[in-house]
Amino acid sequence: MKILPPIATVGLLLGLGVSLLAYQGRMYEEDGEAPQPLPADAHENAEWAFARYHFRSNNESGSFLGFHLWAADYPKADRQFTMGVRRLTRLHARGVEQIVDADSDELFNWPWIYMEHGNGWNLTKDEVARLREYFMRGGFLFSDDTHGDFEWESLVHGMELIFPGRPIEDLKNDDEIFHVMYDLDERFQIHGTRFIWGRRPYLADMTKPKWRAIRDDKGRIMVAITHNSDVGDAWEWADSPNYPERETSLAYRIGINYILFDMTH
């Protein structure tokens, strides 16, 4: 089993000499909507890559055909957000995402991972143990796109398997994660397109955005959770004049702060 690379290094952010992330594993070129051409640097070594957590849902066979919860907004959101990371930071980011399988030890090669619709995850005992070890080694998970009490309870069920009894807290405005690069005292709901363009209504338990976290024994945030918001949709539709620019701007700032927090803690 490989050792998680050291995360706490300011030099990583400054583009100085550090160990580079090597291209490993699979990368998918398209989602269920339209093919996405691979960027020219798809196989380039880089300091950081967008790693997306691939889990099996209760209603899935494990096939990569069609829509699955883990792949919501994929790969457009991943790549458009990475473009923003390149423009707004000095972090050397690879232009294509990395799929990280829940049942693979490749997880330990990626210090920052993103997960959508964690309310649908169905983890095995081995996958639970792997995630627990990943977090205790210094890994970071950004959990996004859960809405309402039912989805929240499903997400928490999985978290309880990983860390029984460990509290999930509501982050305060002065928490460091909101002030790494951008000061984000004013945070608001980031809407999913199914709510603003589709016919799905916001129910009473979906209207208030929550910014939550799980910490390790030393107080480091291991899991950052955006509940009642859809950051991935804001990344995916950043190029659309019909998606609220104000929400896209917040989504990019949130994502960048979370990356830089992880890489310096």
Side-chain angles (χ1 to χ4, degrees):
M1 182 178 296
K2 297 183 179 180
I3 303 299
L4 191 69
I7 295 175
T9 168
V10 175
L12 185 61
L13 308 181
L14 299 177
L16 301 177
V18 294
S19 297
L20 300 180
L21 293 177
Y23 163 73
Q24 301 179 49
R26 305 185 308 282
M27 292 179 292
Y28 298 90
E29 297 187 20
E30 60 185 70
D31 60 10
E33 297 177 357
Q36 295 286 327
L38 285 175
D41 69 340
H43 303 286
E44 180 183 35
N45 289 336
E47 294 172 326
W48 178 83
F50 188 109
R52 178 181 284 261
Y53 191 61
H54 165 227
F55 57 87
R56 181 176 296 188
S57 301
N58 292 323
N59 61 347
E60 291 181 10
S61 65
S63 170
F64 290 101
L65 301 177
F67 175 78
H68 297 305
L69 291 176
W70 72 270
D73 309 320
Y74 163 85
K76 187 181 176 186
D78 312 35
R79 297 182 191 179
Q80 292 204 150
F81 174 60
T82 299
M83 290 170 61
V85 173
R86 288 174 152 184
R87 292 173 181 173
L88 298 170
T89 76
R90 298 181 65 183
L91 191 64
H92 181 203
R94 196 179 75 189
V96 73
E97 67 288 339
Q98 181 76 26
I99 302 304
V100 180
D101 295 336
D103 61 357
S104 171
D105 285 342
E106 281 192 13
L107 175 67
F108 297 101
N109 295 325
W110 309 97
W112 185 98
I113 54 175
Y114 173 78
M115 176 177 70
E116 284 203 68
H117 290 297
N119 56 286
W121 59 357
N122 182 19
L123 302 176
T124 67
K125 290 182 178 180
D126 286 344
E127 291 165 355
V128 166
R130 183 177 290 104
L131 265 180
R132 184 186 302 116
E133 183 178 357
Y134 170 77
F135 291 132
M136 299 313 293
R137 288 191 186 188
F140 181 95
L141 172 69
F142 178 9
S143 174
D144 180 38
D145 196 6
T146 53
H147 293 80
D149 293 341
F150 178 78
E151 291 188 3
W152 174 253
E153 290 170 2
S154 298
L155 174 66
V156 169
H157 174 71
M159 293 297 179
E160 281 286 331
L161 294 176
I162 301 166
F163 289 120
R166 189 172 290 268
I168 301 176
E169 65 179 82
D170 287 305
L171 292 171
K172 299 179 180 179
N173 285 344
D174 62 356
D175 195 280
E176 186 180 0
I177 201 169
F178 297 135
H179 302 279
V180 180
M181 179 169 173
Y182 298 103
D183 289 320
L184 301 174
D185 293 312
E186 183 184 4
R187 299 181 306 282
F188 40 82
Q189 188 170 43
I190 300 172
H191 292 81
T193 56
R194 62 191 181 278
F195 295 105
I196 59 177
W197 297 344
R199 297 182 179 179
R200 183 175 177 182
Y202 273 105
L203 303 179
D205 60 352
M206 300 178 179
T207 58
K208 187 175 181 180
K210 301 290 184 179
W211 312 87
R212 291 170 168 163
I214 300 174
R215 300 181 187 269
D216 66 13
D217 294 338
K218 297 181 179 179
R220 178 188 66 88
I221 293 177
M222 301 182 290
V223 182
I225 305 168
T226 51
H227 180 60
N228 288 339
S229 280
D230 192 340
V231 174
D233 259 8
W235 295 339
E236 181 182 14
W237 298 103
D239 58 348
S240 172
N242 298 317
Y243 190 86
E245 183 277 331
R246 179 171 178 260
E247 296 181 24
T248 292
S249 295
L250 177 61
Y252 274 79
R253 287 170 170 80
I254 284 289
I256 288 172
N257 268 25
Y258 285 7
I259 292 169
L260 300 185
F261 176 88
D262 168 49
M263 288 190 159
T264 55
H265 291 75

mmCIF file with all atom_site columns, all heavy atoms in Angstrom, residues 170-188:
data_model
loop_
_atom_site.group_PDB
_atom_site.id
_atom_site.type_symbol
_atom_site.label_atom_id
_atom_site.label_alt_id
_atom_site.label_comp_id
_atom_site.label_asym_id
_atom_site.label_entity_id
_atom_site.label_seq_id
_atom_site.pdbx_PDB_ins_code
_atom_site.Cartn_x
_atom_site.Cartn_y
_atom_site.Cartn_z
_atom_site.occupancy
_atom_site.B_iso_or_equiv
_atom_site.pdbx_formal_charge
_atom_site.auth_seq_id
_atom_site.auth_comp_id
_atom_site.auth_asym_id
_atom_site.auth_atom_id
_atom_site.pdbx_PDB_model_num
ATOM 1   N N   . ASP A 1 170 ? -21.412 22.359 12.371 1.00 0.00 ? 170 ASP A N   1
ATOM 2   C CA  . ASP A 1 170 ? -21.672 23.487 11.485 1.00 0.00 ? 170 ASP A CA  1
ATOM 3   C C   . ASP A 1 170 ? -20.498 24.453 11.597 1.00 0.00 ? 170 ASP A C   1
ATOM 4   O O   . ASP A 1 170 ? -20.174 24.920 12.696 1.00 0.00 ? 170 ASP A O   1
ATOM 5   C CB  . ASP A 1 170 ? -22.968 24.192 11.884 1.00 0.00 ? 170 ASP A CB  1
ATOM 6   C CG  . ASP A 1 170 ? -24.203 23.385 11.513 1.00 0.00 ? 170 ASP A CG  1
ATOM 7   O OD1 . ASP A 1 170 ? -24.337 23.023 10.334 1.00 0.00 ? 170 ASP A OD1 1
ATOM 8   O OD2 . ASP A 1 170 ? -25.028 23.112 12.417 1.00 0.00 ? 170 ASP A OD2 1
ATOM 9   N N   . LEU A 1 171 ? -19.870 24.745 10.467 1.00 0.00 ? 171 LEU A N   1
ATOM 10  C CA  . LEU A 1 171 ? -18.703 25.621 10.473 1.00 0.00 ? 171 LEU A CA  1
ATOM 11  C C   . LEU A 1 171 ? -19.122 27.073 10.713 1.00 0.00 ? 171 LEU A C   1
ATOM 12  O O   . LEU A 1 171 ? -20.152 27.531 10.213 1.00 0.00 ? 171 LEU A O   1
ATOM 13  C CB  . LEU A 1 171 ? -17.957 25.516 9.146  1.00 0.00 ? 171 LEU A CB  1
ATOM 14  C CG  . LEU A 1 171 ? -17.275 24.179 8.882  1.00 0.00 ? 171 LEU A CG  1
ATOM 15  C CD1 . LEU A 1 171 ? -16.763 24.118 7.440  1.00 0.00 ? 171 LEU A CD1 1
ATOM 16  C CD2 . LEU A 1 171 ? -16.136 23.945 9.859  1.00 0.00 ? 171 LEU A CD2 1
ATOM 17  N N   . LYS A 1 172 ? -18.308 27.792 11.453 1.00 0.00 ? 172 LYS A N   1
ATOM 18  C CA  . LYS A 1 172 ? -18.560 29.203 11.729 1.00 0.00 ? 172 LYS A CA  1
ATOM 19  C C   . LYS A 1 172 ? -17.874 30.082 10.680 1.00 0.00 ? 172 LYS A C   1
ATOM 20  O O   . LYS A 1 172 ? -16.948 29.655 10.000 1.00 0.00 ? 172 LYS A O   1
ATOM 21  C CB  . LYS A 1 172 ? -18.059 29.556 13.135 1.00 0.00 ? 172 LYS A CB  1
ATOM 22  C CG  . LYS A 1 172 ? -18.759 28.774 14.235 1.00 0.00 ? 172 LYS A CG  1
ATOM 23  C CD  . LYS A 1 172 ? -18.201 29.138 15.606 1.00 0.00 ? 172 LYS A CD  1
ATOM 24  C CE  . LYS A 1 172 ? -18.906 28.348 16.702 1.00 0.00 ? 172 LYS A CE  1
ATOM 25  N NZ  . LYS A 1 172 ? -18.367 28.653 18.058 1.00 0.00 ? 172 LYS A NZ  1
ATOM 26  N N   . ASN A 1 173 ? -18.339 31.305 10.577 1.00 0.00 ? 173 ASN A N   1
ATOM 27  C CA  . ASN A 1 173 ? -17.796 32.221 9.570  1.00 0.00 ? 173 ASN A CA  1
ATOM 28  C C   . ASN A 1 173 ? -16.307 32.443 9.716  1.00 0.00 ? 173 ASN A C   1
ATOM 29  O O   . ASN A 1 173 ? -15.605 32.678 8.725  1.00 0.00 ? 173 ASN A O   1
ATOM 30  C CB  . ASN A 1 173 ? -18.520 33.568 9.632  1.00 0.00 ? 173 ASN A CB  1
ATOM 31  C CG  . ASN A 1 173 ? -19.910 33.508 9.026  1.00 0.00 ? 173 ASN A CG  1
ATOM 32  O OD1 . ASN A 1 173 ? -20.242 32.572 8.316  1.00 0.00 ? 173 ASN A OD1 1
ATOM 33  N ND2 . ASN A 1 173 ? -20.713 34.515 9.311  1.00 0.00 ? 173 ASN A ND2 1
ATOM 34  N N   . ASP A 1 174 ? -15.811 32.395 10.947 1.00 0.00 ? 174 ASP A N   1
ATOM 35  C CA  . ASP A 1 174 ? -14.388 32.692 11.162 1.00 0.00 ? 174 ASP A CA  1
ATOM 36  C C   . ASP A 1 174 ? -13.502 31.462 11.040 1.00 0.00 ? 174 ASP A C   1
ATOM 37  O O   . ASP A 1 174 ? -12.299 31.540 11.292 1.00 0.00 ? 174 ASP A O   1
ATOM 38  C CB  . ASP A 1 174 ? -14.167 33.365 12.514 1.00 0.00 ? 174 ASP A CB  1
ATOM 39  C CG  . ASP A 1 174 ? -14.588 32.486 13.701 1.00 0.00 ? 174 ASP A CG  1
ATOM 40  O OD1 . ASP A 1 174 ? -15.120 31.375 13.469 1.00 0.00 ? 174 ASP A OD1 1
ATOM 41  O OD2 . ASP A 1 174 ? -14.390 32.913 14.849 1.00 0.00 ? 174 ASP A OD2 1
ATOM 42  N N   . ASP A 1 175 ? -14.067 30.317 10.634 1.00 0.00 ? 175 ASP A N   1
ATOM 43  C CA  . ASP A 1 175 ? -13.232 29.135 10.476 1.00 0.00 ? 175 ASP A CA  1
ATOM 44  C C   . ASP A 1 175 ? -12.194 29.381 9.395  1.00 0.00 ? 175 ASP A C   1
ATOM 45  O O   . ASP A 1 175 ? -12.470 29.990 8.358  1.00 0.00 ? 175 ASP A O   1
ATOM 46  C CB  . ASP A 1 175 ? -14.079 27.915 10.114 1.00 0.00 ? 175 ASP A CB  1
ATOM 47  C CG  . ASP A 1 175 ? -13.309 26.614 10.312 1.00 0.00 ? 175 ASP A CG  1
ATOM 48  O OD1 . ASP A 1 175 ? -12.497 26.270 9.428  1.00 0.00 ? 175 ASP A OD1 1
ATOM 49  O OD2 . ASP A 1 175 ? -13.498 25.972 11.355 1.00 0.00 ? 175 ASP A OD2 1
ATOM 50  N N   . GLU A 1 176 ? -10.999 28.856 9.600  1.00 0.00 ? 176 GLU A N   1
ATOM 51  C CA  . GLU A 1 176 ? -9.873  29.109 8.708  1.00 0.00 ? 176 GLU A CA  1
ATOM 52  C C   . GLU A 1 176 ? -10.149 28.679 7.276  1.00 0.00 ? 176 GLU A C   1
ATOM 53  O O   . GLU A 1 176 ? -9.657  29.301 6.325  1.00 0.00 ? 176 GLU A O   1
ATOM 54  C CB  . GLU A 1 176 ? -8.627  28.402 9.240  1.00 0.00 ? 176 GLU A CB  1
ATOM 55  C CG  . GLU A 1 176 ? -7.369  28.710 8.457  1.00 0.00 ? 176 GLU A CG  1
ATOM 56  C CD  . GLU A 1 176 ? -6.152  27.995 9.006  1.00 0.00 ? 176 GLU A CD  1
ATOM 57  O OE1 . GLU A 1 176 ? -6.291  27.244 10.010 1.00 0.00 ? 176 GLU A OE1 1
ATOM 58  O OE2 . GLU A 1 176 ? -5.068  28.164 8.429  1.00 0.00 ? 176 GLU A OE2 1
ATOM 59  N N   . ILE A 1 177 ? -10.929 27.629 7.088  1.00 0.00 ? 177 ILE A N   1
ATOM 60  C CA  . ILE A 1 177 ? -11.162 27.113 5.743  1.00 0.00 ? 177 ILE A CA  1
ATOM 61  C C   . ILE A 1 177 ? -11.866 28.132 4.854  1.00 0.00 ? 177 ILE A C   1
ATOM 62  O O   . ILE A 1 177 ? -11.756 28.078 3.625  1.00 0.00 ? 177 ILE A O   1
ATOM 63  C CB  . ILE A 1 177 ? -11.964 25.791 5.799  1.00 0.00 ? 177 ILE A CB  1
ATOM 64  C CG1 . ILE A 1 177 ? -11.774 24.997 4.492  1.00 0.00 ? 177 ILE A CG1 1
ATOM 65  C CG2 . ILE A 1 177 ? -13.424 26.038 6.109  1.00 0.00 ? 177 ILE A CG2 1
ATOM 66  C CD1 . ILE A 1 177 ? -12.298 23.574 4.552  1.00 0.00 ? 177 ILE A CD1 1
ATOM 67  N N   . PHE A 1 178 ? -12.571 29.083 5.464  1.00 0.00 ? 178 PHE A N   1
ATOM 68  C CA  . PHE A 1 178 ? -13.246 30.126 4.696  1.00 0.00 ? 178 PHE A CA  1
ATOM 69  C C   . PHE A 1 178 ? -12.370 31.347 4.442  1.00 0.00 ? 178 PHE A C   1
ATOM 70  O O   . PHE A 1 178 ? -12.838 32.337 3.872  1.00 0.00 ? 178 PHE A O   1
ATOM 71  C CB  . PHE A 1 178 ? -14.525 30.564 5.416  1.00 0.00 ? 178 PHE A CB  1
ATOM 72  C CG  . PHE A 1 178 ? -15.558 29.479 5.550  1.00 0.00 ? 178 PHE A CG  1
ATOM 73  C CD1 . PHE A 1 178 ? -16.214 29.278 6.748  1.00 0.00 ? 178 PHE A CD1 1
ATOM 74  C CD2 . PHE A 1 178 ? -15.877 28.662 4.477  1.00 0.00 ? 178 PHE A CD2 1
ATOM 75  C CE1 . PHE A 1 178 ? -17.174 28.281 6.884  1.00 0.00 ? 178 PHE A CE1 1
ATOM 76  C CE2 . PHE A 1 178 ? -16.827 27.654 4.599  1.00 0.00 ? 178 PHE A CE2 1
ATOM 77  C CZ  . PHE A 1 178 ? -17.478 27.463 5.799  1.00 0.00 ? 178 PHE A CZ  1
ATOM 78  N N   . HIS A 1 179 ? -11.104 31.274 4.854  1.00 0.00 ? 179 HIS A N   1
ATOM 79  C CA  . HIS A 1 179 ? -10.236 32.453 4.745  1.00 0.00 ? 179 HIS A CA  1
ATOM 80  C C   . HIS A 1 179 ? -8.830  32.086 4.272  1.00 0.00 ? 179 HIS A C   1
ATOM 81  O O   . HIS A 1 179 ? -7.883  32.820 4.545  1.00 0.00 ? 179 HIS A O   1
ATOM 82  C CB  . HIS A 1 179 ? -10.166 33.170 6.094  1.00 0.00 ? 179 HIS A CB  1
ATOM 83  C CG  . HIS A 1 179 ? -11.516 33.587 6.605  1.00 0.00 ? 179 HIS A CG  1
ATOM 84  N ND1 . HIS A 1 179 ? -12.156 34.725 6.177  1.00 0.00 ? 179 HIS A ND1 1
ATOM 85  C CD2 . HIS A 1 179 ? -12.363 32.970 7.480  1.00 0.00 ? 179 HIS A CD2 1
ATOM 86  C CE1 . HIS A 1 179 ? -13.345 34.823 6.773  1.00 0.00 ? 179 HIS A CE1 1
ATOM 87  N NE2 . HIS A 1 179 ? -13.486 33.764 7.565  1.00 0.00 ? 179 HIS A NE2 1
ATOM 88  N N   . VAL A 1 180 ? -8.686  30.993 3.561  1.00 0.00 ? 180 VAL A N   1
ATOM 89  C CA  . VAL A 1 180 ? -7.365  30.579 3.081  1.00 0.00 ? 180 VAL A CA  1
ATOM 90  C C   . VAL A 1 180 ? -6.890  31.485 1.968  1.00 0.00 ? 180 VAL A C   1
ATOM 91  O O   . VAL A 1 180 ? -5.801  32.051 2.019  1.00 0.00 ? 180 VAL A O   1
ATOM 92  C CB  . VAL A 1 180 ? -7.401  29.108 2.600  1.00 0.00 ? 180 VAL A CB  1
ATOM 93  C CG1 . VAL A 1 180 ? -6.028  28.687 2.090  1.00 0.00 ? 180 VAL A CG1 1
ATOM 94  C CG2 . VAL A 1 180 ? -7.860  28.191 3.712  1.00 0.00 ? 180 VAL A CG2 1
ATOM 95  N N   . MET A 1 181 ? -7.714  31.651 0.935  1.00 0.00 ? 181 MET A N   1
ATOM 96  C CA  . MET A 1 181 ? -7.407  32.566 -0.164 1.00 0.00 ? 181 MET A CA  1
ATOM 97  C C   . MET A 1 181 ? -8.471  33.657 -0.274 1.00 0.00 ? 181 MET A C   1
ATOM 98  O O   . MET A 1 181 ? -8.163  34.832 -0.392 1.00 0.00 ? 181 MET A O   1
ATOM 99  C CB  . MET A 1 181 ? -7.306  31.793 -1.484 1.00 0.00 ? 181 MET A CB  1
ATOM 100 C CG  . MET A 1 181 ? -7.010  32.670 -2.686 1.00 0.00 ? 181 MET A CG  1
ATOM 101 S SD  . MET A 1 181 ? -6.588  31.684 -4.153 1.00 0.00 ? 181 MET A SD  1
ATOM 102 C CE  . MET A 1 181 ? -6.513  32.979 -5.391 1.00 0.00 ? 181 MET A CE  1
ATOM 103 N N   . TYR A 1 182 ? -9.716  33.242 -0.211 1.00 0.00 ? 182 TYR A N   1
ATOM 104 C CA  . TYR A 1 182 ? -10.839 34.185 -0.262 1.00 0.00 ? 182 TYR A CA  1
ATOM 105 C C   . TYR A 1 182 ? -11.494 34.260 1.112  1.00 0.00 ? 182 TYR A C   1
ATOM 106 O O   . TYR A 1 182 ? -11.632 33.250 1.802  1.00 0.00 ? 182 TYR A O   1
ATOM 107 C CB  . TYR A 1 182 ? -11.875 33.718 -1.282 1.00 0.00 ? 182 TYR A CB  1
ATOM 108 C CG  . TYR A 1 182 ? -11.362 33.655 -2.701 1.00 0.00 ? 182 TYR A CG  1
ATOM 109 C CD1 . TYR A 1 182 ? -11.026 32.431 -3.282 1.00 0.00 ? 182 TYR A CD1 1
ATOM 110 C CD2 . TYR A 1 182 ? -11.210 34.814 -3.458 1.00 0.00 ? 182 TYR A CD2 1
ATOM 111 C CE1 . TYR A 1 182 ? -10.560 32.370 -4.585 1.00 0.00 ? 182 TYR A CE1 1
ATOM 112 C CE2 . TYR A 1 182 ? -10.740 34.753 -4.762 1.00 0.00 ? 182 TYR A CE2 1
ATOM 113 C CZ  . TYR A 1 182 ? -10.411 33.534 -5.322 1.00 0.00 ? 182 TYR A CZ  1
ATOM 114 O OH  . TYR A 1 182 ? -9.940  33.465 -6.609 1.00 0.00 ? 182 TYR A OH  1
ATOM 115 N N   . ASP A 1 183 ? -11.925 35.437 1.491  1.00 0.00 ? 183 ASP A N   1
ATOM 116 C CA  . ASP A 1 183 ? -12.708 35.613 2.709  1.00 0.00 ? 183 ASP A CA  1
ATOM 117 C C   . ASP A 1 183 ? -14.173 35.395 2.355  1.00 0.00 ? 183 ASP A C   1
ATOM 118 O O   . ASP A 1 183 ? -14.760 36.165 1.577  1.00 0.00 ? 183 ASP A O   1
ATOM 119 C CB  . ASP A 1 183 ? -12.502 37.013 3.292  1.00 0.00 ? 183 ASP A CB  1
ATOM 120 C CG  . ASP A 1 183 ? -11.116 37.186 3.895  1.00 0.00 ? 183 ASP A CG  1
ATOM 121 O OD1 . ASP A 1 183 ? -10.630 36.239 4.536  1.00 0.00 ? 183 ASP A OD1 1
ATOM 122 O OD2 . ASP A 1 183 ? -10.517 38.260 3.707  1.00 0.00 ? 183 ASP A OD2 1
ATOM 123 N N   . LEU A 1 184 ? -14.753 34.362 2.924  1.00 0.00 ? 184 LEU A N   1
ATOM 124 C CA  . LEU A 1 184 ? -16.091 33.923 2.533  1.00 0.00 ? 184 LEU A CA  1
ATOM 125 C C   . LEU A 1 184 ? -17.057 34.006 3.703  1.00 0.00 ? 184 LEU A C   1
ATOM 126 O O   . LEU A 1 184 ? -17.739 33.038 4.046  1.00 0.00 ? 184 LEU A O   1
ATOM 127 C CB  . LEU A 1 184 ? -16.024 32.500 1.970  1.00 0.00 ? 184 LEU A CB  1
ATOM 128 C CG  . LEU A 1 184 ? -15.125 32.334 0.748  1.00 0.00 ? 184 LEU A CG  1
ATOM 129 C CD1 . LEU A 1 184 ? -15.025 30.868 0.363  1.00 0.00 ? 184 LEU A CD1 1
ATOM 130 C CD2 . LEU A 1 184 ? -15.648 33.153 -0.421 1.00 0.00 ? 184 LEU A CD2 1
ATOM 131 N N   . ASP A 1 185 ? -17.130 35.182 4.319  1.00 0.00 ? 185 ASP A N   1
ATOM 132 C CA  . ASP A 1 185 ? -18.076 35.364 5.411  1.00 0.00 ? 185 ASP A CA  1
ATOM 133 C C   . ASP A 1 185 ? -19.518 35.337 4.909  1.00 0.00 ? 185 ASP A C   1
ATOM 134 O O   . ASP A 1 185 ? -20.421 34.924 5.627  1.00 0.00 ? 185 ASP A O   1
ATOM 135 C CB  . ASP A 1 185 ? -17.813 36.703 6.111  1.00 0.00 ? 185 ASP A CB  1
ATOM 136 C CG  . ASP A 1 185 ? -16.473 36.714 6.830  1.00 0.00 ? 185 ASP A CG  1
ATOM 137 O OD1 . ASP A 1 185 ? -16.194 35.750 7.551  1.00 0.00 ? 185 ASP A OD1 1
ATOM 138 O OD2 . ASP A 1 185 ? -15.709 37.674 6.653  1.00 0.00 ? 185 ASP A OD2 1
ATOM 139 N N   . GLU A 1 186 ? -19.719 35.801 3.679  1.00 0.00 ? 186 GLU A N   1
ATOM 140 C CA  . GLU A 1 186 ? -21.058 35.801 3.095  1.00 0.00 ? 186 GLU A CA  1
ATOM 141 C C   . GLU A 1 186 ? -21.199 34.600 2.168  1.00 0.00 ? 186 GLU A C   1
ATOM 142 O O   . GLU A 1 186 ? -20.681 34.565 1.058  1.00 0.00 ? 186 GLU A O   1
ATOM 143 C CB  . GLU A 1 186 ? -21.314 37.081 2.301  1.00 0.00 ? 186 GLU A CB  1
ATOM 144 C CG  . GLU A 1 186 ? -22.726 37.144 1.734  1.00 0.00 ? 186 GLU A CG  1
ATOM 145 C CD  . GLU A 1 186 ? -22.962 38.356 0.860  1.00 0.00 ? 186 GLU A CD  1
ATOM 146 O OE1 . GLU A 1 186 ? -22.010 39.118 0.625  1.00 0.00 ? 186 GLU A OE1 1
ATOM 147 O OE2 . GLU A 1 186 ? -24.111 38.526 0.400  1.00 0.00 ? 186 GLU A OE2 1
ATOM 148 N N   . ARG A 1 187 ? -21.908 33.602 2.630  1.00 0.00 ? 187 ARG A N   1
ATOM 149 C CA  . ARG A 1 187 ? -22.133 32.388 1.839  1.00 0.00 ? 187 ARG A CA  1
ATOM 150 C C   . ARG A 1 187 ? -23.640 32.177 1.712  1.00 0.00 ? 187 ARG A C   1
ATOM 151 O O   . ARG A 1 187 ? -24.384 32.414 2.649  1.00 0.00 ? 187 ARG A O   1
ATOM 152 C CB  . ARG A 1 187 ? -21.469 31.181 2.506  1.00 0.00 ? 187 ARG A CB  1
ATOM 153 C CG  . ARG A 1 187 ? -19.958 31.334 2.650  1.00 0.00 ? 187 ARG A CG  1
ATOM 154 C CD  . ARG A 1 187 ? -19.357 30.095 3.294  1.00 0.00 ? 187 ARG A CD  1
ATOM 155 N NE  . ARG A 1 187 ? -19.991 29.752 4.551  1.00 0.00 ? 187 ARG A NE  1
ATOM 156 C CZ  . ARG A 1 187 ? -19.766 30.366 5.717  1.00 0.00 ? 187 ARG A CZ  1
ATOM 157 N NH1 . ARG A 1 187 ? -18.888 31.358 5.781  1.00 0.00 ? 187 ARG A NH1 1
ATOM 158 N NH2 . ARG A 1 187 ? -20.384 29.983 6.811  1.00 0.00 ? 187 ARG A NH2 1
ATOM 159 N N   . PHE A 1 188 ? -24.064 31.736 0.565  1.00 0.00 ? 188 PHE A N   1
ATOM 160 C CA  . PHE A 1 188 ? -25.487 31.603 0.279  1.00 0.00 ? 188 PHE A CA  1
ATOM 161 C C   . PHE A 1 188 ? -25.708 30.306 -0.481 1.00 0.00 ? 188 PHE A C   1
ATOM 162 O O   . PHE A 1 188 ? -24.752 29.620 -0.871 1.00 0.00 ? 188 PHE A O   1
ATOM 163 C CB  . PHE A 1 188 ? -25.991 32.809 -0.524 1.00 0.00 ? 188 PHE A CB  1
ATOM 164 C CG  . PHE A 1 188 ? -25.022 33.270 -1.574 1.00 0.00 ? 188 PHE A CG  1
ATOM 165 C CD1 . PHE A 1 188 ? -24.944 32.655 -2.813 1.00 0.00 ? 188 PHE A CD1 1
ATOM 166 C CD2 . PHE A 1 188 ? -24.132 34.314 -1.303 1.00 0.00 ? 188 PHE A CD2 1
ATOM 167 C CE1 . PHE A 1 188 ? -24.036 33.069 -3.762 1.00 0.00 ? 188 PHE A CE1 1
ATOM 168 C CE2 . PHE A 1 188 ? -23.218 34.741 -2.251 1.00 0.00 ? 188 PHE A CE2 1
ATOM 169 C CZ  . PHE A 1 188 ? -23.168 34.116 -3.489 1.00 0.00 ? 188 PHE A CZ  1
#
